[in-house]
Amino acid sequence: MVLNQFALQEVSYEQLKTELNQLGFTTSLNTAVKSLWRQWLLKSMPECRTMSARLAKLTNILAYPGVDLKEFLIDDTPISAETFYVVGLQLLKFTWHVDFEWNNILDKAERLGIKLITGDYSDPIVLQKAWYNLLLTHTKFGVTLLDDLASRGFYQNLSITKPFFINGKAQAVFDTDQLIREVVYVETDVDTDGDDCLDLIKVEIVRPGETNDGLRIPSLFTASPYNQGINHEVGNKAMHDVNQLLTRKNPDNLSYEDIRFKPDQDKVIHDKREVKGESEVAEETFGREASYALNDYFLARGFAAVYSAGIGTLDSDGIQTCGSIEQTQAMVSVIEWLNGKRRAFTNRTDQIEIKAWWSNGSVAMTGRSYLGTLATAAATTGVEGLKTIIPEAAISNWYQYYRDNGLVIAPGGYPGEDADVLAKETFSRQKAAGDYLHIKHFFDESQAQMVRDQDRDSGSYNTFWDERNYLPHIGNIKAPVLIVHGLNDWNVKPRQAYQLWQGLKNVDVPQKIILHQGQHIYIHNMPSFDYLDIVNGWISHYLYGLENGIVDHLPDVIYQTNHFEETWEALPEWGSQRKQRYQLGHESLTVEGVVSEFSEQTFNDQLTKKEFDIYKKDAKAWVNDLYHEESPLKKHRYFAKTAPLTEAIQINGAPIVKLKVASSQNIGMLTVRLVDFKKAKRLKKNPTTISLHGLQLGYHWRDESLAEFRFDTPSDYQLISIGHLNLQNRHNPWSADELVAGEAVDVELELQPTIYRLNDGHELGLIITGTDFEYTVRGNQAIAYTISLAESSLQLPLENLTIKDSFGPLAPEFDQ
């Protein structure tokens, strides 16, 4: 176990003393140091109601070999740094003889990621600094020691003002037994179901009971179209057949302006409802919300959790539109209500207005995937009151989710899904049979139009997709952005975060990014990384206005390394300016630019019927065969590798492949994969559960299982990056170029961005195919592709490496 804490901040001694005293840890310099520490230790057993019970707990803790803590506190032995950290590690739930020993204890504590305080521990000031840091150090179970004390009842008998902040972060002092759950119906400015009435959308609110006593608090708003249920069966039936031919497009001279989405300026805006009364009390409540653990964590810390599934969902008006401007506007309406600029009602019929009188007007948007996508969408409107967004694994351009460079591309793991399928799946109004009776015909017609507009036949970028591209509107963003994304997320691919990150450089808002080695996952429950603390400091600053220095303190880029377990590092930028070029040769990639005797290489995309039938049923079998040098696919791909690396390299950014390539027909597509070859242990793409219910989110409150990325059994290869291109869209995705059979064309393809290290001894591989059985249409057409090797290259953005020593659980990958 290794702790990586980026949010722990140094504070002045005066602030440290003030905060310790607020916590009830007296800082009197007139008290003997050992007595002072004894007081603190006894206070750190909040579950014990009597002194006898506390003293009994002390006997469970070892002070040094042969002496328990109770004995140590009454003898004459002075406190040493060694004793302090032996005790400290046990308070942090580390285990003697498992996680640490007495020998070299300070070195071991430091290697576990604990920030040590040096000095004479008979000095009360040194002890205070060490105790303060220990309280803010993560335990083995994903929260700070102070948070652990809170989950055991530490704040129950402490007189404090709420909200309460330590080290610039909100503490779990709110009574989660008194949470208020209520429903309101926010009136939007859209009418997506064509009934000539503005759509009302259901909003579920969970807020601390202390708000009924006059406290005004900020909100964490999660816009989730899944929140009111989904239609799995309907979605599965709507999946498109991907075993289709790649079709030719008629060449055109379309410009971006020709297809740019232009909002309908003449669209009729219906009158708002007449208010027939007012109330401060909601008429509806609910049992258990479809919650998000990050929001649960903050409910105990003085933030409201607000959820809305939006238009076209159960108990709301409208239809599902999958990323349209109307969906964005509807979610923005919730922010405006929380900010006091919009109306909501107690139910859908009586028109009794209810205000967010408990709200201080400040809102953050959180959530993963579609949830984070709508956070990004809302931010691009510049809506007042949205103070920050934390989009996790979020889409910034829907075209690059369901399409790419003129091709229909599936999200990883969902071949055949498209915008219309997702709209059907999230149209939870269908779950209410009576409501669905009245909306079915309109929704079906809208779906038919969506199928036409999304245009699976051509795969080109058009007005439908431009409406769902938030990147052109980044300049409107006023809310600081904390991006979170997986470098191995092949569902919402890394480019979605990368392009948002790069675009924000031209916008005057703070931005930070966290990149992990996982797939499409949450990362708040990893004990090796202080994600909860980072977000806590971030939103305490932006929603409560706390001047905690978090923006300057956090690195711009925090990333998880791929070659060690439990290791997170910082970079100043995602995207290195240092470039390394590799020349394509016959089965080789060379830095020197030496071209082999083969000037061209040809591969045929068409498989035998038997092979095609096998692979279309099992795309994983195709991938496995693709990566092996001797396989049935040998004549159906370009395959090249470097010699074993003599020193490690780290890719930081988007690799670029430049090709001169010809298709034997007047159509064609390319799939390019960058691969790490060598048998080695690699991190799994999904974390391993290490403790069920191990993450405590507050006192008598909810919990979460802890998980951590672990090494998998040795594998021969790992995908680093990927890219796809329709050869008729080699200049841009909206305009179709001419492609003449047999005539070579120049192609430049940017692959998915990454941060990835290849250690010495590994081989960097490049594989080029036509069809991709995981992502593209699969027509099994007789198309041969010829690559002119001398005019083709790979360009990598490389980072200067700082090689770290490895130790303990951070042992480097074991090449097998």
Side-chain angles (χ1 to χ4, degrees):
M1 178 70 199
V2 178
L3 306 175
N4 298 263
Q5 288 193 247
F6 292 89
L8 174 57
Q9 300 188 69
E10 289 188 20
V11 299
S12 68
Y13 177 60
E14 289 305 314
Q15 181 178 336
L16 178 150
K17 281 199 307 179
T18 298
E19 292 184 357
L20 283 178
N21 284 316
Q22 288 174 329
L23 290 167
F25 298 115
T26 178
T27 59
S28 170
L29 299 180
N30 296 322
T31 305
V33 170
K34 207 164 185 181
S35 296
L36 199 62
W37 195 32
R38 182 178 185 274
Q39 291 175 27
W40 297 347
L41 288 165
L42 292 173
K43 189 171 180 60
S44 301
M45 300 169 182
E47 64 273 26
C48 297
R49 298 177 181 175
T50 66
M51 182 59 69
S52 295
R54 293 189 180 96
L55 292 173
K57 292 283 187 182
L58 292 179
T59 65
N60 290 340
I61 300 173
L62 187 71
Y64 59 84
V67 178
D68 68 40
L69 186 55
K70 181 181 178 183
E71 294 170 329
F72 172 79
L73 290 172
I74 60 176
D75 69 21
D76 295 329
T77 308
I79 303 172
S80 66
E82 287 81 3
T83 297
F84 181 88
Y85 286 106
V86 162
V87 172
L89 285 171
Q90 292 169 83
L91 295 177
L92 296 174
K93 309 296 178 68
F94 290 100
T95 305
W96 177 259
H97 288 319
V98 175
D99 298 308
F100 67 99
E101 302 276 359
W102 175 258
N103 293 336
N104 301 317
I105 183 62
L106 298 183
D107 182 59
K108 181 60 178 177
E110 190 168 32
R111 288 172 179 269
L112 286 171
I114 294 171
K115 183 177 179 182
L116 304 183
I117 300 297
T118 59
D120 181 359
Y121 275 69
S122 64
D123 181 344
I125 294 177
V126 172
L127 190 68
Q128 289 165 18
K129 291 178 178 179
W131 184 251
Y132 180 85
N133 265 26
L134 189 69
L135 288 171
L136 297 169
T137 298
H138 268 226
T139 71
K140 197 175 177 178
F141 294 98
V143 293
T144 65
L145 175 55
L146 187 55
D147 285 337
D148 176 67
L149 295 178
S151 71
R152 289 154 48 196
F154 180 79
Y155 291 113
Q156 297 311 297
N157 297 311
L158 195 64
S159 178
I160 53 173
T161 301
K162 300 177 182 180
F164 182 58
F165 301 92
I166 295 291
N167 200 244
K169 301 163 193 72
Q171 300 302 305
V173 299
F174 285 78
D175 187 354
T176 51
D177 288 330
Q178 303 300 319
L179 290 172
I180 297 163
R181 292 172 170 83
E182 56 194 4
V183 174
V184 303
Y185 293 87
V186 169
E187 184 180 53
T188 72
D189 284 337
V190 301
D191 171 23
T192 57
D193 53 16
D195 64 356
D196 295 331
C197 292
L198 297 176
D199 293 341
L200 290 178
I201 57 173
K202 180 181 183 180
V203 179
E204 295 180 337
I205 302 144
V206 190
R207 57 182 171 88
E210 289 88 341
T211 52
N212 277 353
D213 299 325
L215 181 65
R216 301 293 174 260
I217 63 171
S219 302
L220 301 184
F221 171 36
T222 299
S224 171
Y226 310 119
N227 182 264
Q228 296 295 314
I230 54 178
N231 306 310
H232 265 315
E233 297 81 3
V234 175
N236 287 337
K237 289 180 181 178
M239 287 288 198
H240 298 273
D241 182 9
V242 295
N243 298 309
Q244 301 288 330
L245 297 175
L246 177 69
T247 57
R248 177 169 169 78
K249 307 178 191 185
N250 291 323
D252 59 60
N253 293 308
L254 287 174
S255 68
Y256 171 68
E257 192 59 31
D258 293 327
I259 56 88
R260 183 171 68 86
F261 172 74
K262 303 174 184 67
D264 184 357
Q265 302 296 331
D266 299 323
K267 194 170 185 177
V268 175
I269 303 297
H270 301 298
D271 292 337
K272 296 185 181 298
R273 290 166 175 77
E274 177 186 355
V275 174
K276 297 183 178 179
E278 295 183 2
S279 175
E280 289 191 351
V281 180
E283 294 183 22
E284 290 184 36
T285 185
F286 51 92
R288 171 67 190 266
E289 72 282 5
S291 65
Y292 165 32
L294 187 69
N295 293 352
D296 290 343
Y297 172 85
F298 284 106
L299 274 168
R301 289 161 170 79
F303 300 80
V306 178
Y307 299 91
S308 180
I311 52 174
T313 62
L314 185 65
D315 294 332
S316 293
D317 298 335
I319 59 170
Q320 267 294 3
T321 58
C322 194
S324 73
I325 191 171
E326 289 88 1
Q327 187 174 45
T328 300
Q329 290 170 339
M331 292 308 192
V332 164
S333 298
V334 178
I335 300 168
E336 292 173 331
W337 175 70
L338 291 167
N339 195 32
K341 303 285 173 45
R342 182 168 290 275
R343 299 187 311 195
F345 300 96
T346 57
N347 62 46
R348 294 175 67 178
T349 58
D350 292 347
Q351 296 168 220
I352 305 300
E353 184 179 4
I354 183 169
K355 299 182 185 299
W357 50 264
W358 47 266
S359 169
N360 72 359
S362 294
V363 182
M365 289 188 75
T366 64
R368 177 187 60 133
S369 196
Y370 207 155
L371 292 59
T373 300
L374 292 174
T376 300
T380 60
T381 69
V383 58
E384 186 178 349
L386 183 59
K387 301 298 186 181
T388 186
I389 61 170
I390 308 171
E392 302 182 54
I395 295 168
S396 55
N397 177 356
W398 283 90
Y399 178 80
Q400 291 178 344
Y401 185 65
Y402 287 122
R403 307 283 186 276
D404 200 9
N405 294 317
L407 288 174
V408 174
I409 298 292
Y414 298 94
E417 187 182 302
D418 214 324
D420 66 307
V421 177
L422 187 58
K424 285 186 174 78
E425 182 136 336
T426 54
F427 183 60
S428 53
R429 282 187 76 175
Q430 187 169 349
K431 291 182 173 295
D435 188 23
Y436 183 53
L437 173 70
H438 303 293
I439 192 64
K440 181 182 184 303
H441 179 69
F442 184 88
F443 179 66
D444 288 346
E445 286 187 341
S446 299
Q447 280 285 284
Q449 186 62 49
M450 182 180 285
V451 170
R452 292 190 290 271
D453 292 344
Q454 70 189 14
D455 185 13
R456 285 184 67 87
D457 292 332
S458 78
S460 292
Y461 188 88
N462 60 19
T463 304
F464 175 88
W465 295 111
D466 194 55
E467 179 183 356
R468 291 159 174 81
N469 183 359
Y470 311 126
L471 295 172
H473 311 292
I474 289 177
N476 297 329
I477 293 179
K478 299 175 183 176
V481 183
L482 176 59
I483 304 170
V484 184
H485 214 98
L487 293 168
N488 288 287
D489 188 345
W490 305 119
N491 182 340
V492 178
K493 300 177 184 69
R495 181 180 295 143
Q496 300 282 354
Y498 187 73
Q499 291 185 338
L500 177 61
W501 172 256
Q502 297 296 333
L504 283 169
K505 296 191 178 310
N506 299 316
V507 184
D508 187 22
V509 296
Q511 62 180 101
K512 307 287 181 181
I513 191 164
I514 298 170
L515 299 166
H516 58 83
Q517 289 294 331
Q519 295 182 352
H520 200 59
I521 61 169
Y522 285 119
I523 62 168
H524 60 268
N525 59 338
M526 293 180 189
S528 68
F529 180 51
D530 65 337
Y531 179 71
L532 290 174
D533 294 346
I534 290 171
V535 176
N536 192 335
W538 186 264
I539 69 170
S540 291
H541 171 60
Y542 285 113
L543 298 192
Y544 269 115
L546 192 69
E547 294 301 328
N548 58 11
I550 192 72
V551 179
D552 293 331
H553 176 75
L554 286 177
D556 286 344
V557 180
I558 300 173
Y559 74 100
Q560 183 187 20
T561 66
N562 65 287
H563 56 291
F564 289 147
E565 290 183 348
E566 301 174 355
T567 306
W568 298 74
E569 296 181 355
L571 282 172
E573 182 56 275
W574 188 17
S576 174
Q577 296 304 307
R578 178 189 161 208
K579 310 298 182 184
Q580 176 66 65
R581 181 176 174 272
Y582 293 82
Q583 176 67 51
L584 271 63
H586 178 64
E587 299 182 353
S588 68
L589 296 174
T590 55
V591 173
E592 296 80 9
V594 177
V595 183
S596 72
E597 60 192 78
F598 297 87
S599 60
E600 293 183 342
Q601 189 158 331
T602 299
F603 61 90
N604 197 312
D605 202 39
Q606 191 172 45
L607 305 169
T608 66
K609 183 179 185 305
K610 180 180 178 181
E611 290 170 334
F612 181 71
D613 288 343
I614 290 172
Y615 291 143
K616 74 180 183 181
K617 293 176 183 177
D618 186 2
K620 292 187 184 305
W622 176 81
V623 172
N624 185 64
D625 286 345
L626 184 69
Y627 290 159
H628 285 87
E629 293 188 61
E630 298 300 326
S631 83
L633 295 174
K634 189 168 185 177
K635 296 180 180 179
H636 304 286
R637 70 186 179 193
Y638 169 80
F639 186 108
K641 295 193 296 187
T642 63
L645 299 175
T646 57
E647 60 181 21
I649 62 171
Q650 180 157 296
I651 303 167
N652 177 13
I656 293 175
V657 174
K658 295 182 179 180
L659 300 173
K660 194 168 195 71
V661 60
S663 169
S664 63
Q665 295 195 30
N666 59 1
I667 56 173
M669 61 177 169
L670 294 177
T671 299
V672 179
R673 291 178 181 239
L674 194 64
V675 185
D676 170 12
F677 285 105
K678 188 183 181 185
K679 189 162 190 174
K681 288 185 177 181
R682 296 177 170 90
L683 293 177
K684 296 178 181 179
K685 299 307 172 291
N686 286 309
T688 299
T689 298
I690 58 175
S691 176
L692 291 172
H693 314 294
L695 179 62
Q696 300 300 313
L697 301 175
Y699 182 57
H700 291 172
W701 185 221
R702 291 173 180 166
D703 57 51
E704 183 95 345
S705 293
L706 289 168
E708 199 66 76
F709 285 102
R710 294 294 184 227
F711 280 132
D712 207 342
T713 54
S715 60
D716 294 321
Y717 54 80
Q718 177 167 323
L719 177 66
I720 300 172
S721 185
I722 194 169
H724 300 93
L725 172 74
N726 189 319
L727 288 176
Q728 285 198 265
N729 292 88
R730 56 190 178 273
H731 291 108
N732 61 64
W734 54 80
S735 179
D737 299 317
E738 179 63 81
L739 186 67
V740 178
E743 185 176 297
V745 295
D746 292 312
V747 168
E748 182 172 310
L749 176 59
E750 182 178 279
L751 308 186
Q752 293 293 329
T754 189
I755 300 178
Y756 188 91
R757 172 169 158 163
L758 293 94
N759 280 341
D760 60 300
H762 287 234
E763 298 168 302
L764 178 68
L766 188 70
I767 301 175
I768 304 173
T769 62
T771 299
D772 186 325
F773 277 77
E774 287 190 304
Y775 296 104
T776 67
V777 294
R778 307 182 296 210
N780 202 33
Q781 292 152 281
I783 307 174
Y785 298 96
T786 301
I787 300 173
S788 300
L789 299 178
E791 298 173 86
S792 300
S793 63
L794 164 68
Q795 180 178 283
L796 295 184
L798 296 184
E799 188 70 34
N800 292 321
L801 279 177
T802 300
I803 307 297
K804 290 192 171 182
D805 291 334
S806 58
F807 45 81
L810 285 180
E813 61 179 64
F814 293 97
D815 294 340
Q816 302 293 315

